[in-house]
Short mmCIF file of all heavy atoms in Angstrom, two decimals:
data_model
loop_
_atom_site.label_atom_id
_atom_site.label_comp_id
_atom_site.label_asym_id
_atom_site.label_seq_id
_atom_site.Cartn_x
_atom_site.Cartn_y
_atom_site.Cartn_z
N CYS A 53 -68.87 84.46 8.14
CA CYS A 53 -67.35 84.26 7.94
C CYS A 53 -66.59 85.35 8.69
O CYS A 53 -65.64 85.13 9.31
CB CYS A 53 -67.15 84.29 6.52
SG CYS A 53 -66.93 82.50 6.03
N GLU A 54 -67.11 86.66 8.78
CA GLU A 54 -66.49 87.53 9.52
C GLU A 54 -66.43 87.32 10.96
O GLU A 54 -65.51 87.52 11.63
CB GLU A 54 -67.04 89.04 9.21
CG GLU A 54 -66.41 90.19 9.98
CD GLU A 54 -64.90 90.35 9.68
OE1 GLU A 54 -64.38 89.87 8.73
OE2 GLU A 54 -64.27 90.97 10.57
N ALA A 55 -67.47 86.90 11.55
CA ALA A 55 -67.66 86.50 13.02
C ALA A 55 -66.70 85.32 13.17
O ALA A 55 -66.03 85.16 14.23
CB ALA A 55 -69.16 86.16 13.32
N ALA A 56 -66.68 84.31 12.27
CA ALA A 56 -65.82 83.17 12.37
C ALA A 56 -64.30 83.69 12.38
O ALA A 56 -63.53 83.18 13.22
CB ALA A 56 -66.07 82.12 11.20
N ARG A 57 -63.94 84.62 11.52
CA ARG A 57 -62.70 85.10 11.54
C ARG A 57 -62.34 85.74 12.80
O ARG A 57 -61.27 85.60 13.36
CB ARG A 57 -62.50 86.03 10.29
CG ARG A 57 -61.06 86.69 10.14
CD ARG A 57 -61.03 87.66 8.96
NE ARG A 57 -61.64 88.91 9.40
CZ ARG A 57 -61.01 89.96 10.05
NH1 ARG A 57 -59.78 89.85 10.31
NH2 ARG A 57 -61.68 91.06 10.48
N ARG A 58 -63.24 86.72 13.35
CA ARG A 58 -62.89 87.31 14.59
C ARG A 58 -62.85 86.42 15.81
O ARG A 58 -62.02 86.60 16.69
CB ARG A 58 -63.95 88.37 14.79
CG ARG A 58 -63.97 89.61 13.82
CD ARG A 58 -65.16 90.46 14.12
NE ARG A 58 -65.19 91.44 13.10
CZ ARG A 58 -65.21 92.83 13.33
NH1 ARG A 58 -65.33 93.17 14.60
NH2 ARG A 58 -65.22 93.69 12.40
N ALA A 59 -63.67 85.33 15.77
CA ALA A 59 -63.50 84.33 16.87
C ALA A 59 -62.16 83.63 16.83
O ALA A 59 -61.44 83.52 17.93
CB ALA A 59 -64.61 83.25 16.67
N LEU A 60 -61.59 83.39 15.66
CA LEU A 60 -60.19 82.83 15.56
C LEU A 60 -59.07 83.80 16.00
O LEU A 60 -58.18 83.46 16.75
CB LEU A 60 -59.99 82.30 14.22
CG LEU A 60 -60.89 81.02 13.83
CD1 LEU A 60 -60.72 80.67 12.33
CD2 LEU A 60 -60.49 79.79 14.72
N LEU A 61 -59.37 85.05 15.43
CA LEU A 61 -58.40 86.10 15.88
C LEU A 61 -58.40 86.28 17.36
O LEU A 61 -57.23 86.48 17.99
CB LEU A 61 -58.73 87.45 15.16
CG LEU A 61 -58.28 87.47 13.71
CD1 LEU A 61 -58.89 88.74 13.02
CD2 LEU A 61 -56.83 87.45 13.52
N SER A 62 -59.46 86.30 18.00
CA SER A 62 -59.51 86.45 19.42
C SER A 62 -58.84 85.34 20.34
O SER A 62 -58.54 85.68 21.55
CB SER A 62 -61.01 86.71 19.93
OG SER A 62 -61.69 85.38 20.01
N GLN A 63 -58.55 84.34 19.62
CA GLN A 63 -58.03 83.19 20.41
C GLN A 63 -56.57 83.05 19.92
O GLN A 63 -55.95 82.02 20.33
CB GLN A 63 -58.71 81.86 20.12
CG GLN A 63 -60.16 81.94 20.67
CD GLN A 63 -60.28 82.32 22.06
OE1 GLN A 63 -59.71 81.71 22.86
NE2 GLN A 63 -60.97 83.42 22.36
N GLY A 64 -56.03 83.99 19.20
CA GLY A 64 -54.56 83.95 18.86
C GLY A 64 -54.24 83.24 17.65
O GLY A 64 -52.99 83.02 17.31
N TYR A 65 -55.25 82.86 16.82
CA TYR A 65 -54.94 82.36 15.47
C TYR A 65 -54.46 83.29 14.38
O TYR A 65 -55.04 84.44 14.46
CB TYR A 65 -56.21 81.60 14.89
CG TYR A 65 -56.52 80.19 15.67
CD1 TYR A 65 -57.01 80.13 16.90
CD2 TYR A 65 -56.11 78.98 15.12
CE1 TYR A 65 -57.42 79.07 17.54
CE2 TYR A 65 -56.26 77.87 15.89
CZ TYR A 65 -56.92 77.77 16.98
OH TYR A 65 -57.03 76.65 17.62
N VAL A 66 -53.60 82.82 13.62
CA VAL A 66 -53.13 83.71 12.59
C VAL A 66 -53.94 83.33 11.29
O VAL A 66 -53.92 82.27 10.75
CB VAL A 66 -51.62 83.43 12.26
CG1 VAL A 66 -51.10 84.36 11.06
CG2 VAL A 66 -50.84 83.72 13.50
N VAL A 67 -54.70 84.38 10.79
CA VAL A 67 -55.59 84.16 9.64
C VAL A 67 -54.70 84.17 8.38
O VAL A 67 -54.01 85.21 8.19
CB VAL A 67 -56.70 85.14 9.61
CG1 VAL A 67 -57.36 85.05 8.35
CG2 VAL A 67 -57.53 85.00 10.76
N THR A 68 -54.63 83.08 7.64
CA THR A 68 -53.94 82.91 6.49
C THR A 68 -54.57 83.41 5.26
O THR A 68 -54.16 83.71 4.13
CB THR A 68 -53.30 81.63 6.25
OG1 THR A 68 -54.34 80.66 6.34
CG2 THR A 68 -52.30 81.27 7.33
N LEU A 69 -56.06 83.15 5.31
CA LEU A 69 -56.95 83.45 4.11
C LEU A 69 -58.26 83.76 4.70
O LEU A 69 -58.81 83.01 5.60
CB LEU A 69 -57.04 82.24 3.20
CG LEU A 69 -58.03 82.34 2.03
CD1 LEU A 69 -57.58 83.29 1.10
CD2 LEU A 69 -58.21 81.05 1.37
N ALA A 70 -58.94 84.83 4.17
CA ALA A 70 -60.27 85.15 4.64
C ALA A 70 -60.94 86.04 3.54
O ALA A 70 -60.42 86.83 2.97
CB ALA A 70 -60.20 86.12 5.84
N ASN A 71 -62.22 85.54 3.12
CA ASN A 71 -62.97 86.17 2.30
C ASN A 71 -64.46 85.97 2.78
O ASN A 71 -64.75 85.48 3.86
CB ASN A 71 -62.72 85.75 0.76
CG ASN A 71 -62.83 84.25 0.59
OD1 ASN A 71 -63.76 83.72 1.04
ND2 ASN A 71 -61.91 83.76 -0.23
N ALA A 72 -65.40 86.27 1.89
CA ALA A 72 -66.81 86.17 2.27
C ALA A 72 -67.37 84.72 2.56
O ALA A 72 -68.36 84.68 3.23
CB ALA A 72 -67.69 86.78 1.14
N ASP A 73 -66.65 83.70 2.05
CA ASP A 73 -67.25 82.46 2.29
C ASP A 73 -66.13 81.45 2.76
O ASP A 73 -66.45 80.31 2.85
CB ASP A 73 -67.95 81.89 1.06
CG ASP A 73 -66.99 81.73 -0.12
OD1 ASP A 73 -65.82 82.22 -0.09
OD2 ASP A 73 -67.36 81.25 -1.10
N LEU A 74 -65.00 81.89 3.12
CA LEU A 74 -63.86 81.03 3.51
C LEU A 74 -62.94 81.66 4.57
O LEU A 74 -62.53 82.77 4.25
CB LEU A 74 -63.13 80.50 2.25
CG LEU A 74 -62.00 79.52 2.37
CD1 LEU A 74 -62.46 78.19 3.12
CD2 LEU A 74 -61.22 79.29 1.22
N VAL A 75 -62.55 80.96 5.52
CA VAL A 75 -61.44 81.42 6.45
C VAL A 75 -60.55 80.24 6.69
O VAL A 75 -60.98 79.14 7.19
CB VAL A 75 -62.10 82.02 7.82
CG1 VAL A 75 -61.01 82.41 8.71
CG2 VAL A 75 -63.02 83.02 7.54
#
Side-chain angles (χ1 to χ4, degrees):
C53 263
E54 178 60 17
R57 182 183 75 85
R58 289 174 186 233
L60 290 168
L61 285 170
S62 76
Q63 300 305 302
Y65 283 82
V66 175
V67 175
T68 57
L69 174 69
N71 57 40
D73 62 352
L74 177 68
V75 178

